Amino acid sequence: MRVMVTGGAGFIGSALVRHLVLDGGHDVLTVDALTYAGNLESLNPVHDHPRHRFVCADIRDAAAMRAAIGTFRPDRIMHLAAESHVDRSITGADAFITTNIVGTFTLLEAARAYWHGLAPERRAAFRLVHVSTDEVYGSLEGGPGSGGAFQETTPYDPSSPYAASKAAADHLARAWHRTYGLPVIVTNCSNNYGPYHFPEKLIPLTILNALEGKPLPIYGKGENVRDWLYVDDHARALDLIATRGRAGATYNIGGGNERRNIDVVRQICAVLDQLRPAAHAYADLIRFVTDRPGHDARYAIDATLLETELGWRAQENFDSGIMRTVRWYLDNRAWWAPLRDAYAGERLGLYAPERTMRQASA
Ligand code: NAD
């Protein structure tokens, strides 16, 4: 199979590319604009691999998308390129609108033109997998394991600029299937964690701040619940869905590992106490800080459709996955140290209406 992966230098995209090339034996073209979140070091394991090539291109660039697709002639396109950090979307939503919405539209149009010109057999087998998030569904009530879970039929109700931009992109992807017949599959996945995760998100930020003896910030009371999925389980699910999923379908992907944020941070501290003991308990560094505006209370995924129809199962549970993740950061300082120089973990996404209004009138 010839697979084009957009956003393949990012956290999940690079896990998918490594899986497709090294485990799947596929020919892969990674297309990525290398924003702050893109990192070619994450593709080191496939660097120089004869089945992998890389093109630096922006999904908002229609000519570049047509050229990449037309030259590589993929059997599948896996679309992961996006602005992905909720806090950054609160600070400034522009790139979220242009990349997540306009960029997805641009890619869909380039894919449609290419797909239209394929021979009937390749046309029927072609798939475009649009990778999205459970955040489009909004917020659930309750604590871990109580109060229901998102299903593929749950109505969209996004809270953040990030989630709203992904929701818009999902609607476009489904419309391109219904209107033009483009064989699109949409996936909505819960929070991912694992190696090569840019240290602005909760888990890598906590690990690295702890190692550097810095405060471990917890938004609000730390009671927000997320359903955690190890990133390689997500990559395996995406490969399976691209191979055997139905065109036009939506699949929810989730690990069934609901945790409160405070419990995630405490567990990381406990693992570090064991693997890298310090003079103090790492949990002493925990600090409660101002909550995120519009912070969703709880996410949980019902992955029954993916499990029953395609036989997918997560291989990692949270205990095994978090242990692997912490070990990886301990062993791979060379990957994350330069990123910490560029972004040391400053607070993002605090909404200051007075400041915004002053800037607007200046
Ligand atoms: P990431 O921020 O780590 O990576 C995004 C990648 O996209 C980067 O390599 C970046 O350089 C690239 N990119 C950004 N704008 C681009 C543009 N205009 N053109 C080309 N490339 C561009 O994100 P991630 O966490 O790996 O998420 C990947 C996808 O999965 C996203 O679509 C995200 O919405 C979705 N998702 C993420 C999670 C999660 O927990 N991280 C959960 C569910 C779904």
Side-chain angles (χ1 to χ4, degrees):
M1 284 284 166
R2 300 174 66 74
V3 189
M4 171 170 148
V5 179
T6 72
F11 167 49
I12 301 169
S14 68
L16 178 63
V17 169
R18 295 189 302 271
H19 169 70
L20 292 173
V21 174
L22 301 175
D23 308 328
H26 299 298
D27 284 317
V28 175
L29 171 69
T30 299
V31 174
D32 197 296
L34 297 180
T35 68
Y36 80 95
N39 188 349
L40 286 179
E41 300 292 319
S42 306
L43 293 170
N44 261 348
V46 294
H47 185 72
D48 287 341
H49 196 292
R51 285 197 305 272
H52 180 249
R53 66 201 81 169
F54 173 79
V55 168
C56 186
D58 194 309
I59 58 165
R60 293 167 290 191
D61 181 340
M65 289 307 105
R66 281 196 301 269
I69 295 172
T71 309
F72 184 63
R73 303 197 59 76
D75 302 298
R76 298 175 190 164
I77 296 176
M78 319 275 291
H79 174 39
L80 291 90
E83 289 291 335
S84 71
H85 188 33
V86 173
D87 287 343
R88 286 184 194 265
S89 81
I90 296 167
T91 304
D94 305 44
F96 290 76
I97 305 305
T98 59
T99 283
N100 297 1
I101 306 176
V102 181
T104 296
F105 157 73
T106 307
L107 181 74
L108 286 166
E109 280 294 80
R112 180 166 77 94
Y114 162 74
W115 170 75
H116 207 68
L118 288 175
E121 210 170 297
R122 282 194 80 197
R123 211 162 172 254
F126 181 83
R127 293 287 181 275
L128 187 151
V129 179
H130 169 73
V131 177
S132 189
T133 166
D134 59 357
E135 301 197 25
V136 297
Y137 297 125
S139 187
L140 294 165
E141 298 298 322
S146 68
F150 298 130
Q151 292 169 327
E152 286 81 359
T153 49
T154 301
Y156 276 27
D157 187 19
S159 300
S160 69
Y162 162 67
S165 69
K166 291 296 292 188
D170 296 7
H171 291 320
L172 292 176
R174 291 194 182 98
W176 259 242
H177 172 70
R178 287 191 205 162
T179 303
Y180 303 112
L182 186 67
V184 171
I185 301 176
V186 176
T187 64
N188 295 92
C189 186
S190 59
N191 282 56
N192 282 218
Y193 69 103
Y196 301 100
H197 203 180
F198 189 86
E200 63 185 353
K201 309 264 170 87
L202 177 68
I203 289 181
L205 182 76
T206 299
I207 297 170
L208 299 191
N209 275 13
L211 287 175
E212 293 171 0
K214 292 182 176 169
L216 309 181
I218 309 256
Y219 293 179
K221 294 182 184 160
E223 285 171 356
N224 306 67
V225 175
R226 299 293 180 259
D227 181 353
W228 294 96
L229 181 68
Y230 191 69
V231 68
D232 291 342
D233 278 322
H234 190 188
R236 287 186 278 266
L238 292 175
D239 188 15
L240 182 66
I241 287 166
T243 309
R244 303 211 345 247
R246 279 174 291 119
T250 295
Y251 296 92
N252 277 355
I253 311 172
N257 290 298
E258 286 183 63
R259 295 283 188 286
R260 297 186 311 161
N261 286 348
I262 181 68
D263 297 327
V264 168
V265 172
R266 285 199 183 117
Q267 188 163 346
I268 292 169
C269 290
V271 171
L272 281 170
D273 286 339
Q274 183 191 333
L275 297 181
R276 184 65 58 89
H280 55 85
Y282 286 101
D284 293 347
L285 298 169
I286 291 174
R287 300 285 180 275
F288 293 93
V289 300
T290 310
D291 206 353
R292 167 189 283 167
H295 203 175
D296 287 335
R298 176 172 162 259
Y299 303 141
I301 280 281
D302 179 347
T304 306
L305 180 66
L306 177 60
E307 291 169 355
T308 52
E309 189 178 304
L310 302 184
W312 176 83
R313 289 281 178 286
Q315 291 180 15
E316 300 288 345
N317 60 37
F318 193 70
D319 293 346
S320 64
I322 204 71
M323 182 62 84
R324 271 178 188 274
T325 304
V326 173
R327 278 189 203 283
W328 188 87
Y329 279 91
L330 289 175
D331 294 343
N332 288 278
R333 172 176 279 271
W335 182 85
W336 55 260
L339 304 179
R340 291 287 277 184
D341 292 341
Y343 170 68
E346 309 80 59
R347 179 71 195 264
L348 298 164
L350 276 178
Y351 173 52
E354 320 75 41
R355 218 177 110 238
T356 312
M357 281 159 64
R358 242 183 288 124
Q359 279 171 344
S361 60

